[in-house]
């Protein structure tokens, strides 16, 4: 079975730039919890029903379990229990 290649995802968390490897289908929640070991956002239903994964993106709540870590919409400033903003790609 072939798995998608990982790419680096740069996030600014609590004012510090952090980097983790993600695949194209990695959610923002997975990147935060498993890629960066930040457990402020909780993994609940993984369907967007419970809201445990909610983070603020430009001051608006979004469900991190339904948002891809590499989604261009995630380049806006966002926060959860950790302060997060996606760094623009250098390419």
């Amino acid at each position: 079975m072939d798995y998608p290649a990982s790419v680096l995802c740069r996030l600014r968390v609590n004012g510090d730039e952090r980097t983790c490897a993600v695949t194209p289908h990695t959610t923002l929640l997975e990147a935060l919890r498993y890629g960066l070991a930040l457990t402020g956002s909780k993994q609940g239903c993984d369907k967007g029903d419970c809201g445990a994964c909610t983070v603020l993106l430009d001051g608006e709540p979004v469900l991190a379990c339904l948002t891809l870590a590499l989604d261009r919409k995630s380049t806006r400033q966002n926060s959860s229990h950790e302060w997060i903003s996606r760094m623009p790609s250098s390419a």
Side-chain angles (χ1 to χ4, degrees), residues 16-88:
D16 297 322
E17 185 176 321
R18 305 277 302 268
T19 304
C20 64
V22 299
T23 59
H25 64 272
T26 300
T27 65
L28 181 57
L29 178 65
E30 292 167 335
L32 292 172
R33 289 186 63 81
Y34 308 118
L36 298 176
L38 300 172
T39 57
S41 296
K42 303 302 179 196
Q43 187 167 4
C45 67
D46 283 330
K47 300 186 301 182
D49 290 335
C50 72
C53 66
T54 302
V55 297
L56 293 178
L57 185 59
D58 282 343
E60 297 293 322
V62 297
L63 301 170
C65 73
L66 300 180
T67 303
L68 294 176
L70 297 176
D71 187 348
R72 286 292 171 199
K73 294 175 189 167
S74 296
T75 61
R76 300 172 293 177
Q77 189 166 319
N78 57 83
S79 65
S80 67
H81 293 92
E82 294 81 25
W83 182 262
I84 307 146
S85 62
R86 178 104 154 32
M87 301 299 294

